[in-house]
Amino acid sequence: MRVPLLDLEPEYREVEAEVLEAVRDVVGSRRFILGPRVEELEERIAQYCGCSYAVAVSSGTDALLLSLMALGVGPGDFVVTTPFTFFATAGAIARTGARPLFVDIEAESYNMDPQALKRLVHDMDGERKTRIKAVVPVHLYGRCADMDAIAEVTESLDIGLVEDAAQAIGAEYRGSQGRTRRAGALGNLGCFSFYPTKNLGGAGEGGMVTTDDHELYERLRILRNHGDVSRYHHEYIGGNFRMDAFQGAVLLVKMKYLERWIRKRRAHAALYERLIADRGVARVRTPDHGPGRHVYHQFVVDAGEARDALRAYLSEGGVGTEIYYPIPLHLQPCFSYLGYGPKDFPVAERAAKSTLAVPMYPGLVHDQISYVVDLMAKFFEERHHEKK
Ligand SMILES: Cc1ncc(COP(=O)(O)O)c(C=O)c1O
């Protein structure tokens, strides 16, 4: 049996006719950038996330960059994030001219550790502390970071809180007060990616920024279009961060299916968990759900030091896997100027060596999941016998 890490085929089979019609409408309208479909998508996403406003942009990376620009982040500033994320999170910070500061992650959630954030801030002298302009937690794999604890810090410093929700559309966070809110409504600005492989994926590049703050909303819209306040009057230096109309049209169609697809992902995650427990694959740790709703953009297991051998074994058996992410960002060559080194963030460094994403997409079927878990069980059995 072959089980790819991701297969967009079943998803597109469901929506193809509607998508093609929506694309044809855009061609017929001759309106290719922004426009009514994109505006409708902005309204739908704002409503879905429980926010007042949403601004459609050209990618998740641009959503992050634009958000930081709207907060006025620039050279000399510090922005705190996690080293265990996709490159774009820290890349966007560095591109504003600010300096990324990393804090370690929690071992269970792989998300920013609020205690580590508190320690970083506590240990900084007054002058340096005033240079922190924002914190960017990441809702990695589709599980929300501990936003209440992180917001305590950003509120006490009166600085921006930008969610990197690129992997987490529809994820929910149940805070300490028992209130449940969706990703994108948990900070000052929420950043989403519609990269084709995401839970809500376009047919090209796309992203979105959500906010409840009217002033930030206005600034986002102006900066999205070269800082143009009225035609050819540029009060700020922005960029071209506009979404194209095809993505608006395709995403509006796919939006209708999003909740169903999330339910399927969650059912697949529950099945993986049950089968892994039933077959006694005790050496594999399944993801911690956390409070709220995990949307399983990825289903990432922890296989300890057996990770690479397990990955090779699954690959031989026709199962696709991936490592998100093999090199923590503080150890990337392009960030050597920040002066971090090995052992600075041990939890992230360990996760980079022990975690493995296994197949996860709505169109997976029971037999495929069962096959993946059977292979895992066989791998550990054989290893056990070899060691005897
Ligand atoms: C955590 C995270 N942040 C940012 C991005 C950037 O999004 P995009 O690829 O749409 O630029 C991605 C996705 O690739 C991501 O996974």
Side-chain angles (χ1 to χ4, degrees), residues 264-297:
K264 286 193 172 178
R265 285 176 185 272
R266 288 174 51 79
H268 298 333
L271 181 62
Y272 266 122
E273 275 172 22
R274 184 162 65 72
L275 295 178
I276 285 172
D278 285 356
R279 291 175 203 183
V281 194
R283 297 281 310 282
V284 159
R285 181 163 70 79
T286 53
D288 191 87
H289 312 154
R293 181 168 80 155
H294 196 318
V295 292
Y296 297 102
H297 173 54

PDB file of all heavy atoms in Angstrom, residues 264-297:
ATOM      1  N   LYS A 264     -12.831  15.737   9.650  1.00  0.00           N
ATOM      2  CA  LYS A 264     -12.156  14.519   9.157  1.00  0.00           C
ATOM      3  C   LYS A 264     -10.741  14.412   9.716  1.00  0.00           C
ATOM      4  O   LYS A 264     -10.315  13.341  10.152  1.00  0.00           O
ATOM      5  CB  LYS A 264     -12.102  14.517   7.634  1.00  0.00           C
ATOM      6  CG  LYS A 264     -13.455  14.222   7.008  1.00  0.00           C
ATOM      7  CD  LYS A 264     -13.303  13.909   5.543  1.00  0.00           C
ATOM      8  CE  LYS A 264     -14.626  13.423   4.968  1.00  0.00           C
ATOM      9  NZ  LYS A 264     -14.548  13.144   3.541  1.00  0.00           N
ATOM     10  N   ARG A 265      -9.994  15.498   9.682  1.00  0.00           N
ATOM     11  CA  ARG A 265      -8.633  15.478  10.229  1.00  0.00           C
ATOM     12  C   ARG A 265      -8.648  15.039  11.691  1.00  0.00           C
ATOM     13  O   ARG A 265      -7.821  14.242  12.133  1.00  0.00           O
ATOM     14  CB  ARG A 265      -7.995  16.878  10.145  1.00  0.00           C
ATOM     15  CG  ARG A 265      -7.552  17.259   8.752  1.00  0.00           C
ATOM     16  CD  ARG A 265      -7.015  18.682   8.738  1.00  0.00           C
ATOM     17  NE  ARG A 265      -6.692  19.099   7.394  1.00  0.00           N
ATOM     18  CZ  ARG A 265      -5.503  18.906   6.797  1.00  0.00           C
ATOM     19  NH1 ARG A 265      -4.520  18.336   7.472  1.00  0.00           N
ATOM     20  NH2 ARG A 265      -5.303  19.296   5.560  1.00  0.00           N
ATOM     21  N   ARG A 266      -9.629  15.580  12.456  1.00  0.00           N
ATOM     22  CA  ARG A 266      -9.697  15.245  13.884  1.00  0.00           C
ATOM     23  C   ARG A 266     -10.070  13.770  14.085  1.00  0.00           C
ATOM     24  O   ARG A 266      -9.581  13.119  15.002  1.00  0.00           O
ATOM     25  CB  ARG A 266     -10.679  16.190  14.592  1.00  0.00           C
ATOM     26  CG  ARG A 266     -10.087  17.602  14.722  1.00  0.00           C
ATOM     27  CD  ARG A 266     -11.080  18.592  15.289  1.00  0.00           C
ATOM     28  NE  ARG A 266     -11.706  18.162  16.507  1.00  0.00           N
ATOM     29  CZ  ARG A 266     -11.164  18.201  17.717  1.00  0.00           C
ATOM     30  NH1 ARG A 266      -9.935  18.670  17.860  1.00  0.00           N
ATOM     31  NH2 ARG A 266     -11.827  17.795  18.769  1.00  0.00           N
ATOM     32  N   ALA A 267     -10.925  13.268  13.213  1.00  0.00           N
ATOM     33  CA  ALA A 267     -11.291  11.847  13.309  1.00  0.00           C
ATOM     34  C   ALA A 267     -10.073  10.980  12.970  1.00  0.00           C
ATOM     35  O   ALA A 267      -9.828   9.959  13.623  1.00  0.00           O
ATOM     36  CB  ALA A 267     -12.452  11.535  12.373  1.00  0.00           C
ATOM     37  N   HIS A 268      -9.296  11.394  11.961  1.00  0.00           N
ATOM     38  CA  HIS A 268      -8.083  10.628  11.611  1.00  0.00           C
ATOM     39  C   HIS A 268      -7.098  10.639  12.782  1.00  0.00           C
ATOM     40  O   HIS A 268      -6.470   9.615  13.086  1.00  0.00           O
ATOM     41  CB  HIS A 268      -7.380  11.216  10.389  1.00  0.00           C
ATOM     42  CG  HIS A 268      -8.208  11.194   9.134  1.00  0.00           C
ATOM     43  ND1 HIS A 268      -9.197  10.271   8.920  1.00  0.00           N
ATOM     44  CD2 HIS A 268      -8.192  11.995   8.026  1.00  0.00           C
ATOM     45  CE1 HIS A 268      -9.754  10.502   7.732  1.00  0.00           C
ATOM     46  NE2 HIS A 268      -9.162  11.534   7.179  1.00  0.00           N
ATOM     47  N   ALA A 269      -6.967  11.794  13.429  1.00  0.00           N
ATOM     48  CA  ALA A 269      -6.037  11.902  14.571  1.00  0.00           C
ATOM     49  C   ALA A 269      -6.490  10.957  15.685  1.00  0.00           C
ATOM     50  O   ALA A 269      -5.665  10.251  16.285  1.00  0.00           O
ATOM     51  CB  ALA A 269      -5.976  13.345  15.070  1.00  0.00           C
ATOM     52  N   ALA A 270      -7.803  10.922  15.939  1.00  0.00           N
ATOM     53  CA  ALA A 270      -8.329  10.055  17.004  1.00  0.00           C
ATOM     54  C   ALA A 270      -8.073   8.586  16.655  1.00  0.00           C
ATOM     55  O   ALA A 270      -7.737   7.783  17.528  1.00  0.00           O
ATOM     56  CB  ALA A 270      -9.821  10.321  17.204  1.00  0.00           C
ATOM     57  N   LEU A 271      -8.203   8.251  15.370  1.00  0.00           N
ATOM     58  CA  LEU A 271      -7.962   6.862  14.948  1.00  0.00           C
ATOM     59  C   LEU A 271      -6.480   6.493  15.113  1.00  0.00           C
ATOM     60  O   LEU A 271      -6.152   5.418  15.624  1.00  0.00           O
ATOM     61  CB  LEU A 271      -8.424   6.673  13.502  1.00  0.00           C
ATOM     62  CG  LEU A 271      -8.263   5.258  12.938  1.00  0.00           C
ATOM     63  CD1 LEU A 271      -9.089   4.247  13.726  1.00  0.00           C
ATOM     64  CD2 LEU A 271      -8.679   5.215  11.453  1.00  0.00           C
ATOM     65  N   TYR A 272      -5.587   7.382  14.664  1.00  0.00           N
ATOM     66  CA  TYR A 272      -4.149   7.142  14.877  1.00  0.00           C
ATOM     67  C   TYR A 272      -3.895   6.851  16.354  1.00  0.00           C
ATOM     68  O   TYR A 272      -3.217   5.883  16.705  1.00  0.00           O
ATOM     69  CB  TYR A 272      -3.333   8.392  14.499  1.00  0.00           C
ATOM     70  CG  TYR A 272      -2.787   8.447  13.090  1.00  0.00           C
ATOM     71  CD1 TYR A 272      -3.115   9.492  12.233  1.00  0.00           C
ATOM     72  CD2 TYR A 272      -1.878   7.485  12.629  1.00  0.00           C
ATOM     73  CE1 TYR A 272      -2.584   9.582  10.948  1.00  0.00           C
ATOM     74  CE2 TYR A 272      -1.342   7.565  11.351  1.00  0.00           C
ATOM     75  CZ  TYR A 272      -1.694   8.619  10.505  1.00  0.00           C
ATOM     76  OH  TYR A 272      -1.160   8.702   9.254  1.00  0.00           O
ATOM     77  N   GLU A 273      -4.447   7.709  17.213  1.00  0.00           N
ATOM     78  CA  GLU A 273      -4.197   7.569  18.657  1.00  0.00           C
ATOM     79  C   GLU A 273      -4.682   6.224  19.167  1.00  0.00           C
ATOM     80  O   GLU A 273      -3.987   5.532  19.901  1.00  0.00           O
ATOM     81  CB  GLU A 273      -4.947   8.646  19.426  1.00  0.00           C
ATOM     82  CG  GLU A 273      -4.204   9.932  19.509  1.00  0.00           C
ATOM     83  CD  GLU A 273      -5.066  11.031  20.101  1.00  0.00           C
ATOM     84  OE1 GLU A 273      -6.056  10.724  20.812  1.00  0.00           O
ATOM     85  OE2 GLU A 273      -4.764  12.199  19.821  1.00  0.00           O
ATOM     86  N   ARG A 274      -5.898   5.874  18.767  1.00  0.00           N
ATOM     87  CA  ARG A 274      -6.498   4.629  19.247  1.00  0.00           C
ATOM     88  C   ARG A 274      -5.672   3.426  18.783  1.00  0.00           C
ATOM     89  O   ARG A 274      -5.334   2.546  19.561  1.00  0.00           O
ATOM     90  CB  ARG A 274      -7.953   4.517  18.761  1.00  0.00           C
ATOM     91  CG  ARG A 274      -8.679   3.284  19.303  1.00  0.00           C
ATOM     92  CD  ARG A 274     -10.181   3.408  19.194  1.00  0.00           C
ATOM     93  NE  ARG A 274     -10.689   3.463  17.828  1.00  0.00           N
ATOM     94  CZ  ARG A 274     -10.722   2.425  16.985  1.00  0.00           C
ATOM     95  NH1 ARG A 274     -10.259   1.251  17.356  1.00  0.00           N
ATOM     96  NH2 ARG A 274     -11.205   2.572  15.765  1.00  0.00           N
ATOM     97  N   LEU A 275      -5.317   3.423  17.494  1.00  0.00           N
ATOM     98  CA  LEU A 275      -4.578   2.275  16.960  1.00  0.00           C
ATOM     99  C   LEU A 275      -3.167   2.186  17.548  1.00  0.00           C
ATOM    100  O   LEU A 275      -2.671   1.097  17.835  1.00  0.00           O
ATOM    101  CB  LEU A 275      -4.515   2.342  15.432  1.00  0.00           C
ATOM    102  CG  LEU A 275      -5.876   2.218  14.711  1.00  0.00           C
ATOM    103  CD1 LEU A 275      -5.689   2.336  13.201  1.00  0.00           C
ATOM    104  CD2 LEU A 275      -6.555   0.891  15.045  1.00  0.00           C
ATOM    105  N   ILE A 276      -2.537   3.333  17.736  1.00  0.00           N
ATOM    106  CA  ILE A 276      -1.187   3.342  18.318  1.00  0.00           C
ATOM    107  C   ILE A 276      -1.242   2.767  19.743  1.00  0.00           C
ATOM    108  O   ILE A 276      -0.394   1.970  20.142  1.00  0.00           O
ATOM    109  CB  ILE A 276      -0.570   4.768  18.272  1.00  0.00           C
ATOM    110  CG1 ILE A 276      -0.145   5.089  16.830  1.00  0.00           C
ATOM    111  CG2 ILE A 276       0.608   4.904  19.227  1.00  0.00           C
ATOM    112  CD1 ILE A 276       0.316   6.514  16.577  1.00  0.00           C
ATOM    113  N   ALA A 277      -2.306   3.132  20.482  1.00  0.00           N
ATOM    114  CA  ALA A 277      -2.464   2.592  21.844  1.00  0.00           C
ATOM    115  C   ALA A 277      -2.797   1.095  21.785  1.00  0.00           C
ATOM    116  O   ALA A 277      -2.166   0.282  22.455  1.00  0.00           O
ATOM    117  CB  ALA A 277      -3.546   3.357  22.590  1.00  0.00           C
ATOM    118  N   ASP A 278      -3.771   0.719  20.921  1.00  0.00           N
ATOM    119  CA  ASP A 278      -4.197  -0.676  20.830  1.00  0.00           C
ATOM    120  C   ASP A 278      -3.048  -1.605  20.459  1.00  0.00           C
ATOM    121  O   ASP A 278      -2.965  -2.728  20.936  1.00  0.00           O
ATOM    122  CB  ASP A 278      -5.281  -0.859  19.749  1.00  0.00           C
ATOM    123  CG  ASP A 278      -6.619  -0.324  20.225  1.00  0.00           C
ATOM    124  OD1 ASP A 278      -6.699   0.096  21.398  1.00  0.00           O
ATOM    125  OD2 ASP A 278      -7.573  -0.310  19.413  1.00  0.00           O
ATOM    126  N   ARG A 279      -2.206  -1.133  19.546  1.00  0.00           N
ATOM    127  CA  ARG A 279      -1.124  -2.016  19.081  1.00  0.00           C
ATOM    128  C   ARG A 279       0.149  -1.868  19.911  1.00  0.00           C
ATOM    129  O   ARG A 279       1.215  -2.355  19.526  1.00  0.00           O
ATOM    130  CB  ARG A 279      -0.871  -1.768  17.593  1.00  0.00           C
ATOM    131  CG  ARG A 279      -2.072  -2.277  16.823  1.00  0.00           C
ATOM    132  CD  ARG A 279      -2.065  -2.016  15.371  1.00  0.00           C
ATOM    133  NE  ARG A 279      -3.449  -2.043  14.911  1.00  0.00           N
ATOM    134  CZ  ARG A 279      -3.819  -1.898  13.655  1.00  0.00           C
ATOM    135  NH1 ARG A 279      -2.917  -1.717  12.734  1.00  0.00           N
ATOM    136  NH2 ARG A 279      -5.088  -1.925  13.330  1.00  0.00           N
ATOM    137  N   GLY A 280      -0.003  -1.150  20.992  1.00  0.00           N
ATOM    138  CA  GLY A 280       1.093  -1.060  21.969  1.00  0.00           C
ATOM    139  C   GLY A 280       2.361  -0.415  21.439  1.00  0.00           C
ATOM    140  O   GLY A 280       3.461  -0.816  21.811  1.00  0.00           O
ATOM    141  N   VAL A 281       2.190   0.577  20.544  1.00  0.00           N
ATOM    142  CA  VAL A 281       3.391   1.254  20.027  1.00  0.00           C
ATOM    143  C   VAL A 281       3.801   2.310  21.056  1.00  0.00           C
ATOM    144  O   VAL A 281       3.702   3.512  20.826  1.00  0.00           O
ATOM    145  CB  VAL A 281       3.136   1.898  18.647  1.00  0.00           C
ATOM    146  CG1 VAL A 281       4.457   2.276  17.985  1.00  0.00           C
ATOM    147  CG2 VAL A 281       2.369   0.952  17.728  1.00  0.00           C
ATOM    148  N   ALA A 282       4.294   1.808  22.181  1.00  0.00           N
ATOM    149  CA  ALA A 282       4.518   2.692  23.327  1.00  0.00           C
ATOM    150  C   ALA A 282       5.676   3.665  23.093  1.00  0.00           C
ATOM    151  O   ALA A 282       5.765   4.685  23.757  1.00  0.00           O
ATOM    152  CB  ALA A 282       4.778   1.856  24.569  1.00  0.00           C
ATOM    153  N   ARG A 283       6.550   3.334  22.130  1.00  0.00           N
ATOM    154  CA  ARG A 283       7.720   4.187  21.908  1.00  0.00           C
ATOM    155  C   ARG A 283       7.377   5.429  21.099  1.00  0.00           C
ATOM    156  O   ARG A 283       8.218   6.303  20.908  1.00  0.00           O
ATOM    157  CB  ARG A 283       8.811   3.390  21.183  1.00  0.00           C
ATOM    158  CG  ARG A 283       9.345   2.206  21.978  1.00  0.00           C
ATOM    159  CD  ARG A 283      10.354   2.652  23.039  1.00  0.00           C
ATOM    160  NE  ARG A 283      11.360   3.530  22.447  1.00  0.00           N
ATOM    161  CZ  ARG A 283      12.388   3.100  21.718  1.00  0.00           C
ATOM    162  NH1 ARG A 283      12.579   1.823  21.526  1.00  0.00           N
ATOM    163  NH2 ARG A 283      13.254   3.960  21.226  1.00  0.00           N
ATOM    164  N   VAL A 284       6.146   5.510  20.618  1.00  0.00           N
ATOM    165  CA  VAL A 284       5.735   6.689  19.840  1.00  0.00           C
ATOM    166  C   VAL A 284       4.761   7.528  20.661  1.00  0.00           C
ATOM    167  O   VAL A 284       3.748   7.026  21.134  1.00  0.00           O
ATOM    168  CB  VAL A 284       5.080   6.233  18.517  1.00  0.00           C
ATOM    169  CG1 VAL A 284       4.203   7.318  17.938  1.00  0.00           C
ATOM    170  CG2 VAL A 284       6.144   5.845  17.499  1.00  0.00           C
ATOM    171  N   ARG A 285       5.123   8.786  20.851  1.00  0.00           N
ATOM    172  CA  ARG A 285       4.224   9.677  21.596  1.00  0.00           C
ATOM    173  C   ARG A 285       3.361  10.465  20.606  1.00  0.00           C
ATOM    174  O   ARG A 285       3.879  11.100  19.688  1.00  0.00           O
ATOM    175  CB  ARG A 285       5.042  10.642  22.464  1.00  0.00           C
ATOM    176  CG  ARG A 285       4.178  11.592  23.290  1.00  0.00           C
ATOM    177  CD  ARG A 285       4.973  12.235  24.419  1.00  0.00           C
ATOM    178  NE  ARG A 285       5.964  13.199  23.981  1.00  0.00           N
ATOM    179  CZ  ARG A 285       5.677  14.454  23.633  1.00  0.00           C
ATOM    180  NH1 ARG A 285       4.452  14.908  23.651  1.00  0.00           N
ATOM    181  NH2 ARG A 285       6.660  15.267  23.254  1.00  0.00           N
ATOM    182  N   THR A 286       2.051  10.374  20.793  1.00  0.00           N
ATOM    183  CA  THR A 286       1.131  11.090  19.897  1.00  0.00           C
ATOM    184  C   THR A 286       0.949  12.528  20.396  1.00  0.00           C
ATOM    185  O   THR A 286       1.252  12.829  21.552  1.00  0.00           O
ATOM    186  CB  THR A 286      -0.233  10.368  19.841  1.00  0.00           C
ATOM    187  OG1 THR A 286      -0.707  10.192  21.174  1.00  0.00           O
ATOM    188  CG2 THR A 286      -0.131   9.026  19.152  1.00  0.00           C
ATOM    189  N   PRO A 287       0.431  13.417  19.532  1.00  0.00           N
ATOM    190  CA  PRO A 287       0.359  14.831  19.937  1.00  0.00           C
ATOM    191  C   PRO A 287      -0.577  15.070  21.121  1.00  0.00           C
ATOM    192  O   PRO A 287      -1.610  14.419  21.233  1.00  0.00           O
ATOM    193  CB  PRO A 287      -0.195  15.533  18.689  1.00  0.00           C
ATOM    194  CG  PRO A 287      -0.088  14.574  17.578  1.00  0.00           C
ATOM    195  CD  PRO A 287      -0.015  13.206  18.145  1.00  0.00           C
ATOM    196  N   ASP A 288      -0.170  16.012  21.943  1.00  0.00           N
ATOM    197  CA  ASP A 288      -0.985  16.445  23.072  1.00  0.00           C
ATOM    198  C   ASP A 288      -2.057  17.401  22.511  1.00  0.00           C
ATOM    199  O   ASP A 288      -1.734  18.288  21.739  1.00  0.00           O
ATOM    200  CB  ASP A 288      -0.031  17.208  24.005  1.00  0.00           C
ATOM    201  CG  ASP A 288      -0.636  17.500  25.340  1.00  0.00           C
ATOM    202  OD1 ASP A 288      -0.524  16.629  26.203  1.00  0.00           O
ATOM    203  OD2 ASP A 288      -1.205  18.587  25.501  1.00  0.00           O
ATOM    204  N   HIS A 289      -3.330  17.184  22.867  1.00  0.00           N
ATOM    205  CA  HIS A 289      -4.399  17.995  22.245  1.00  0.00           C
ATOM    206  C   HIS A 289      -4.416  19.436  22.722  1.00  0.00           C
ATOM    207  O   HIS A 289      -4.772  20.329  21.979  1.00  0.00           O
ATOM    208  CB  HIS A 289      -5.794  17.439  22.555  1.00  0.00           C
ATOM    209  CG  HIS A 289      -5.910  15.975  22.326  1.00  0.00           C
ATOM    210  ND1 HIS A 289      -6.817  15.200  22.976  1.00  0.00           N
ATOM    211  CD2 HIS A 289      -5.223  15.156  21.514  1.00  0.00           C
ATOM    212  CE1 HIS A 289      -6.682  13.943  22.585  1.00  0.00           C
ATOM    213  NE2 HIS A 289      -5.721  13.897  21.702  1.00  0.00           N
ATOM    214  N   GLY A 290      -4.113  19.625  23.980  1.00  0.00           N
ATOM    215  CA  GLY A 290      -4.201  20.964  24.560  1.00  0.00           C
ATOM    216  C   GLY A 290      -5.644  21.370  24.790  1.00  0.00           C
ATOM    217  O   GLY A 290      -6.566  20.645  24.392  1.00  0.00           O
ATOM    218  N   PRO A 291      -5.828  22.517  25.434  1.00  0.00           N
ATOM    219  CA  PRO A 291      -7.197  22.971  25.669  1.00  0.00           C
ATOM    220  C   PRO A 291      -7.740  23.595  24.379  1.00  0.00           C
ATOM    221  O   PRO A 291      -7.028  24.331  23.714  1.00  0.00           O
ATOM    222  CB  PRO A 291      -7.024  24.047  26.749  1.00  0.00           C
ATOM    223  CG  PRO A 291      -5.623  24.525  26.608  1.00  0.00           C
ATOM    224  CD  PRO A 291      -4.813  23.452  25.942  1.00  0.00           C
ATOM    225  N   GLY A 292      -8.946  23.256  24.009  1.00  0.00           N
ATOM    226  CA  GLY A 292      -9.503  23.839  22.778  1.00  0.00           C
ATOM    227  C   GLY A 292      -9.532  22.826  21.656  1.00  0.00           C
ATOM    228  O   GLY A 292      -9.571  21.619  21.893  1.00  0.00           O
ATOM    229  N   ARG A 293      -9.463  23.318  20.419  1.00  0.00           N
ATOM    230  CA  ARG A 293      -9.600  22.423  19.266  1.00  0.00           C
ATOM    231  C   ARG A 293      -8.333  22.434  18.411  1.00  0.00           C
ATOM    232  O   ARG A 293      -8.001  23.457  17.802  1.00  0.00           O
ATOM    233  CB  ARG A 293     -10.816  22.843  18.415  1.00  0.00           C
ATOM    234  CG  ARG A 293     -11.021  21.939  17.205  1.00  0.00           C
ATOM    235  CD  ARG A 293     -12.354  22.166  16.532  1.00  0.00           C
ATOM    236  NE  ARG A 293     -12.351  23.334  15.654  1.00  0.00           N
ATOM    237  CZ  ARG A 293     -13.173  23.491  14.630  1.00  0.00           C
ATOM    238  NH1 ARG A 293     -14.093  22.561  14.364  1.00  0.00           N
ATOM    239  NH2 ARG A 293     -13.113  24.576  13.891  1.00  0.00           N
ATOM    240  N   HIS A 294      -7.683  21.291  18.368  1.00  0.00           N
ATOM    241  CA  HIS A 294      -6.500  21.096  17.509  1.00  0.00           C
ATOM    242  C   HIS A 294      -7.043  20.786  16.109  1.00  0.00           C
ATOM    243  O   HIS A 294      -7.957  19.963  15.981  1.00  0.00           O
ATOM    244  CB  HIS A 294      -5.724  19.900  18.074  1.00  0.00           C
ATOM    245  CG  HIS A 294      -4.317  19.761  17.584  1.00  0.00           C
ATOM    246  ND1 HIS A 294      -3.945  19.946  16.282  1.00  0.00           N
ATOM    247  CD2 HIS A 294      -3.161  19.442  18.245  1.00  0.00           C
ATOM    248  CE1 HIS A 294      -2.630  19.744  16.156  1.00  0.00           C
ATOM    249  NE2 HIS A 294      -2.142  19.438  17.332  1.00  0.00           N
ATOM    250  N   VAL A 295      -6.486  21.415  15.069  1.00  0.00           N
ATOM    251  CA  VAL A 295      -7.014  21.146  13.717  1.00  0.00           C
ATOM    252  C   VAL A 295      -6.073  20.264  12.875  1.00  0.00           C
ATOM    253  O   VAL A 295      -6.329  20.057  11.691  1.00  0.00           O
ATOM    254  CB  VAL A 295      -7.373  22.444  12.952  1.00  0.00           C
ATOM    255  CG1 VAL A 295      -8.572  23.126  13.593  1.00  0.00           C
ATOM    256  CG2 VAL A 295      -6.189  23.392  12.849  1.00  0.00           C
ATOM    257  N   TYR A 296      -5.021  19.777  13.509  1.00  0.00           N
ATOM    258  CA  TYR A 296      -4.152  18.777  12.876  1.00  0.00           C
ATOM    259  C   TYR A 296      -3.785  19.122  11.435  1.00  0.00           C
ATOM    260  O   TYR A 296      -4.033  18.348  10.520  1.00  0.00           O
ATOM    261  CB  TYR A 296      -4.773  17.376  12.951  1.00  0.00           C
ATOM    262  CG  TYR A 296      -4.917  16.916  14.378  1.00  0.00           C
ATOM    263  CD1 TYR A 296      -6.146  16.952  15.024  1.00  0.00           C
ATOM    264  CD2 TYR A 296      -3.799  16.503  15.096  1.00  0.00           C
ATOM    265  CE1 TYR A 296      -6.265  16.577  16.349  1.00  0.00           C
ATOM    266  CE2 TYR A 296      -3.910  16.135  16.421  1.00  0.00           C
ATOM    267  CZ  TYR A 296      -5.141  16.172  17.031  1.00  0.00           C
ATOM    268  OH  TYR A 296      -5.259  15.803  18.346  1.00  0.00           O
ATOM    269  N   HIS A 297      -3.179  20.301  11.269  1.00  0.00           N
ATOM    270  CA  HIS A 297      -2.579  20.561   9.961  1.00  0.00           C
ATOM    271  C   HIS A 297      -1.549  19.456   9.708  1.00  0.00           C
ATOM    272  O   HIS A 297      -1.430  18.945   8.599  1.00  0.00           O
ATOM    273  CB  HIS A 297      -1.933  21.937   9.952  1.00  0.00           C
ATOM    274  CG  HIS A 297      -1.149  22.194   8.705  1.00  0.00           C
ATOM    275  ND1 HIS A 297      -1.699  22.044   7.450  1.00  0.00           N
ATOM    276  CD2 HIS A 297       0.145  22.531   8.500  1.00  0.00           C
ATOM    277  CE1 HIS A 297      -0.775  22.305   6.541  1.00  0.00           C
ATOM    278  NE2 HIS A 297       0.344  22.582   7.147  1.00  0.00           N
TER     279      HIS A 297
END
